[in-house]
Amino acid sequence: MNIYDISRLAGVSIATVSRVLNGSEKVSEATRRKVLAVMDQNGYTPNAFARGLGLNTMRTVGILCADSSDIYLAKVIYLLERELRRCGYASMLCCTGYRLAEKEKYLQLLLSRGVDALILAGSQFIEEKQEDNAYLYEAAKKLPVFLLNGILTGSGAYSVVCDDALAVKELTDRLLSLGSRQPVFLYRSFSYSGKQKLAGFLRSLAEHGIPEQGRSFLCPSGIPETARFLQELQDRGISFDACLASDDELAAGAVKYALHAGRKIPQELQVTGYNNSLLSVCSTPEITTADNRVEFLCSTAVSLLMQVLAGKDVPERTMYSATLICRATTRQPG
Amino acid sequence: MNIYDISRLAGVSIATVSRVLNGSEKVSEATRRKVLAVMDQNGYTPNAFARGLGLNTMRTVGILCADSSDIYLAKVIYLLERELRRCGYASMLCCTGYRLAEKEKYLQLLLSRGVDALILAGSQFIEEKQEDNAYLYEAAKKLPVFLLNGILTGSGAYSVVCDDALAVKELTDRLLSLGSRQPVFLYRSFSYSGKQKLAGFLRSLAEHGIPEQGRSFLCPSGIPETARFLQELQDRGISFDACLASDDELAAGAVKYALHAGRKIPQELQVTGYNNSLLSVCSTPEITTADNRVEFLCSTAVSLLMQVLAGKDVPERTMYSATLICRATTRQPG
DNA sequence: TTGTAGGCGTTATCAG
DNA sequence: CTGATAACGCCTACAA
């Protein structure tokens, strides 16, 4: 069932059918009704590929993320998809994992599917070596590329980032002001935001005159793994009275460690997470964390993207602040 | 840059270019090389829409889910996308929310995008009233429709379900055998799997001669909300010594309730969850739950889908069992 | 207000 | 092995 069939059945030309399809003003009410009726009776759906071919767009944007089952990224994906759909765009999701080769490959895959733009969700997309990011800039030459939680510079590339460094600095300041003398920072990867958070931590240490040596640790993923890791740290004689974790899952692991090791939270050990995810309230005690306002992140990104697609000029870098959420894993001031 | 440009630059016909593009055997090694070289030099990418128009497929499947930020559904989405990509299919994600009208609308949206098949992730897609599911059957006439965690009958519709009823019955049996006399069942919705789980609970009660009156409760979402709900139950004089929750989040809420109410787990209150999600190990104590083997669910669904797309006959209903994971919210036998 | 005809970039069917 | 040519289904000037 195509536009020709409909035109024949309705006794009009294909141009008229097309006009009805596209809500053109230049169709008499009578013919419109007639055409719509025929379409309805035959359950006609316009062919998306043919339309795409003519218009050179299927109103689809590609979303790349390392792992959409991650509790934080899952929220990002959800919100992006919702916003995009609201704007009439469909979402093509592609999870790349953490290996560069895969990222490149799947970015190509999305490009080959003819998406109108690309959104990279998560700072995992910025590599250590500048040349490893070349493929992103290459892509940005062809279509708008938005990076969430990371910085990409160059035309066609846009970034929306939360000031993670500041948030972690504030968390650290807080812990120090609440009496911590031996804070440690736990992170899972050297991603852009991982490095930002670390930087915030170190800045705070510096300002408080605490040596940064041996105070930050790359930690295995998973709650029990993190708990074990901290236990080993303790066994090796490394002492700490506060854990600043780069995400809530690590923080949940720290809480578990404290429970097993019999260390009272927050009296003997303070813990902070990041993201204000479900995990932070699922844990007991509930975890002090930073809310990086993912709704804001996503709606901003999509709204900027829409402007770019409309040919407008938009800032290439947008930064906003997180909000601290104080719960039971940190001491109360005063 | 299109196939004509390439053909001109390489001094061959477009048919040959197309053959090279599609890896046809009937091209001499020399011409193949020449054509590939030209493509490479010019960074040529075949137009996906034109190809789609010719082949009438873009090798894309639509994934519908109520809420991809749900910790369980997020995992499902992730695994589905991974499996589909492995099979050369891209995934178009669409989150519908829980309202019927939206579900219908977004299913249409995916259909209009020319997807090759539809996967409905989550039992939220089966409505109470049979006629409200008509749109699904309508869709199943046009393309393969797979439902995960729910039953859809009729040609073109396929279901892959975990035997949730059995799993909850076994959990209940276990709690009762471990001394519970006043178990309650908590659920969040009347979805297909919600009803299955309830049925399993009631079956166990019946077998143990426990009246089912007032033992199952529709519970608000969210960990603190659930905790509050149980506290209210207690305040109203309804007593219970075990909570069987239809998912881990509700169970986490039950654990929180117990902590606030000062009831010892598992001595005074046993709790079980469902899904074996991160929440079940994030909680303290860690929650006994049922692992409904989401990897198996997704890989089975995709592999069946591939067979259907290849024109093979596959069973319309596939059922498998969950695995019980015993942790610290239930007593140890013996 | 309506219709005709050409173009979008592939794939596929025939001849050669 | 290669090339010409007709689909594929829709959009959109341009004509009427």
Side-chain angles (χ1 to χ4, degrees):
Chain A
M1 180 68 41
N2 60 29
I3 207 173
Y4 286 92
D5 299 324
I6 300 295
S7 78
R8 192 165 357 92
L9 291 168
V12 298
S13 75
I14 61 160
T16 301
V17 177
S18 177
R19 289 192 190 97
V20 171
L21 226 37
N22 295 290
S24 159
E25 305 289 296
K26 303 160 187 271
V27 182
S28 77
E29 200 45 39
T31 33
R32 175 192 309 289
R33 253 195 260 283
K34 189 168 53 180
V35 172
L36 284 175
V38 174
M39 286 179 175
D40 223 58
Q41 284 159 32
N42 297 277
Y44 166 74
T45 317
N47 182 302
F49 310 134
R51 173 174 267 173
L53 181 55
L55 300 175
N56 199 33
T57 166
M58 265 180 58
R59 292 181 76 82
T60 299
V61 347
I63 301 179
L64 277 165
C65 78
D67 175 1
S68 68
S69 74
D70 173 276
I71 196 166
Y72 174 69
L73 288 177
K75 187 108 199 177
V76 171
I77 303 300
Y78 172 74
L79 292 166
L80 286 176
E81 193 277 331
R82 199 185 65 179
E83 291 299 311
L84 287 168
R85 180 155 37 75
R86 202 208 301 278
C87 299
Y89 281 77
S91 301
M92 201 155 250
L93 175 65
C94 206
C95 305
T96 63
Y98 296 91
R99 294 211 306 276
L100 176 60
E102 307 287 286
K103 292 179 199 161
E104 288 203 45
K105 186 165 143 195
Y106 299 137
L107 183 141
Q108 290 305 329
L109 186 147
L110 285 181
L111 286 185
S112 79
R113 284 298 205 283
V115 296
D116 296 315
L118 238 30
I119 302 182
L120 313 180
S123 59
Q124 293 82 7
F125 288 94
I126 297 298
E127 304 291 329
E128 286 283 338
K129 294 185 223 151
Q130 189 58 30
E131 69 257 36
D132 285 346
N133 296 318
Y135 75 106
L136 294 179
Y137 292 105
E138 213 47 50
K141 285 182 192 163
K142 302 181 194 163
L143 39 54
V145 174
F146 272 73
L147 180 60
L148 271 41
N149 287 342
I151 303 284
L152 216 46
T153 49
S155 70
Y158 303 85
S159 312
V160 185
V161 290
C162 178
D163 193 344
D164 295 327
L166 179 62
V168 171
K169 177 179 181 306
E170 289 178 352
L171 283 170
T172 313
D173 286 347
R174 190 179 179 84
L175 291 185
L176 294 176
S177 78
L178 292 172
S180 167
R181 285 298 161 262
Q182 303 185 297
V184 293
F185 179 73
L186 307 179
Y187 58 103
R188 283 209 271 185
S189 76
F190 262 119
S191 68
Y192 174 83
S193 81
K195 279 188 283 195
Q196 287 300 303
K197 291 170 189 170
L198 177 57
F201 174 70
L202 296 179
R203 203 158 78 223
S204 175
L205 290 193
E207 285 184 12
H208 287 79
I210 298 178
E212 62 179 54
Q213 200 67 294
R215 309 224 69 87
S216 50
F217 300 94
L218 189 60
C219 206
S221 275
I223 292 175
E225 288 79 2
T226 302
R228 237 182 339 259
F229 179 83
L230 287 172
Q231 183 63 53
E232 285 164 18
L233 233 52
Q234 173 183 316
D235 295 346
R236 277 159 46 200
I238 300 173
S239 60
F240 48 92
D241 60 11
C243 282
L244 288 119
S246 68
D247 63 50
D248 289 336
E249 189 174 347
L250 287 176
V255 168
K256 287 284 178 184
Y257 148 78
L259 290 172
H260 292 141
R263 299 185 64 181
K264 284 223 174 74
I265 294 177
Q267 297 87 338
E268 303 170 28
L269 180 71
Q270 298 190 85
V271 175
T272 65
Y274 207 95
N275 286 347
N276 192 24
S277 68
L278 198 50
L279 297 178
S280 65
V281 290
C282 180
S283 273
T284 303
E286 298 184 3
I287 299 170
T288 291
T289 189
D291 184 340
N292 52 359
R293 296 160 67 207
V294 58
E295 299 83 356
F296 180 80
L297 171 70
C298 294
S299 65
T300 302
V302 170
S303 119
L304 287 172
L305 171 56
M306 290 303 126
Q307 293 184 50
V308 172
L309 289 175
K312 289 186 195 142
D313 239 10
V314 308
E316 295 182 342
R317 196 182 300 194
T318 308
M319 188 173 259
Y320 68 95
S321 299
T323 309
L324 267 41
I325 310 282
C326 293
R327 298 214 180 87
T329 55
T330 50
R331 298 181 203 143
Q332 294 305 309
Chain B
M1 182 65 44
N2 60 29
I3 207 171
Y4 284 93
D5 300 323
I6 300 295
S7 79
R8 192 164 357 89
L9 291 168
V12 296
S13 75
I14 60 161
T16 301
V17 178
S18 178
R19 287 192 191 99
V20 171
L21 226 40
N22 295 289
S24 160
E25 306 289 296
K26 304 161 187 269
V27 183
S28 77
E29 199 45 39
T31 31
R32 175 192 309 289
R33 254 194 258 285
K34 189 169 54 181
V35 172
L36 284 174
V38 174
M39 286 178 175
D40 224 57
Q41 283 160 33
N42 297 276
Y44 164 74
T45 318
N47 182 302
F49 309 134
R51 175 172 264 176
L53 182 55
L55 299 175
N56 198 34
T57 167
M58 265 181 57
R59 292 181 75 82
T60 299
V61 347
I63 301 179
L64 278 165
C65 78
D67 175 1
S68 67
S69 74
D70 173 276
I71 196 166
Y72 174 69
L73 288 176
K75 187 107 200 178
V76 171
I77 303 300
Y78 172 73
L79 292 167
L80 286 176
E81 193 278 329
R82 199 184 65 178
E83 292 297 313
L84 288 167
R85 180 156 35 77
R86 202 208 300 279
C87 300
Y89 280 78
S91 302
M92 201 155 251
L93 176 65
C94 206
C95 305
T96 63
Y98 296 91
R99 294 211 306 278
L100 176 60
E102 306 287 288
K103 292 180 201 163
E104 287 202 45
K105 187 165 141 196
Y106 298 138
L107 183 140
Q108 291 304 330
L109 186 146
L110 285 181
L111 286 184
S112 80
R113 284 300 204 283
V115 296
D116 296 316
L118 239 29
I119 301 182
L120 314 180
S123 59
Q124 293 82 5
F125 288 93
I126 297 298
E127 304 291 329
E128 287 283 340
K129 294 185 221 148
Q130 189 57 30
E131 69 257 35
D132 285 346
N133 296 317
Y135 75 107
L136 294 178
Y137 292 105
E138 213 49 49
K141 286 182 191 162
K142 301 182 194 164
L143 38 55
V145 174
F146 272 72
L147 179 59
L148 270 42
N149 287 342
I151 303 286
L152 216 47
T153 50
S155 70
Y158 302 85
S159 312
V160 185
V161 289
C162 178
D163 193 344
D164 295 327
L166 178 63
V168 171
K169 178 181 180 303
E170 289 177 351
L171 283 170
T172 313
D173 286 346
R174 188 179 179 84
L175 292 185
L176 294 176
S177 77
L178 292 172
S180 166
R181 286 298 161 265
Q182 301 184 301
V184 294
F185 178 73
L186 307 178
Y187 58 101
R188 282 209 272 186
S189 76
F190 262 119
S191 68
Y192 174 82
S193 80
K195 280 187 283 193
Q196 287 299 304
K197 292 169 187 168
L198 177 56
F201 174 71
L202 296 179
R203 205 158 77 222
S204 176
L205 291 194
E207 286 184 11
H208 286 78
I210 297 177
E212 62 178 56
Q213 200 67 293
R215 309 224 70 87
S216 50
F217 300 94
L218 189 61
C219 206
S221 275
I223 292 176
E225 289 79 0
T226 302
R228 240 189 329 268
F229 179 83
L230 287 172
Q231 183 63 54
E232 284 166 19
L233 233 50
Q234 173 184 316
D235 295 346
R236 277 157 47 200
I238 299 174
S239 59
F240 48 93
D241 58 13
C243 281
L244 288 118
S246 68
D247 63 52
D248 289 336
E249 189 174 347
L250 287 176
V255 168
K256 287 283 178 187
Y257 147 77
L259 290 171
H260 292 142
R263 299 185 64 182
K264 285 222 172 74
I265 294 178
Q267 297 86 341
E268 300 171 30
L269 180 70
Q270 299 190 85
V271 175
T272 64
Y274 208 94
N275 287 346
N276 192 25
S277 69
L278 198 51
L279 297 178
S280 64
V281 291
C282 181
S283 273
T284 302
E286 298 184 3
I287 299 170
T288 291
T289 189
D291 185 340
N292 52 0
R293 298 160 66 206
V294 60
E295 299 84 356
F296 179 81
L297 172 70
C298 295
S299 64
T300 302
V302 171
S303 120
L304 287 172
L305 171 55
M306 290 304 126
Q307 294 185 50
V308 171
L309 289 175
K312 291 187 195 141
D313 239 12
V314 308
E316 296 182 341
R317 195 184 299 194
T318 307
M319 190 173 259
Y320 67 95
S321 299
T323 309
L324 266 43
I325 310 281
C326 292
R327 298 212 182 86
T329 54
T330 49
R331 297 181 204 145
Q332 295 305 310

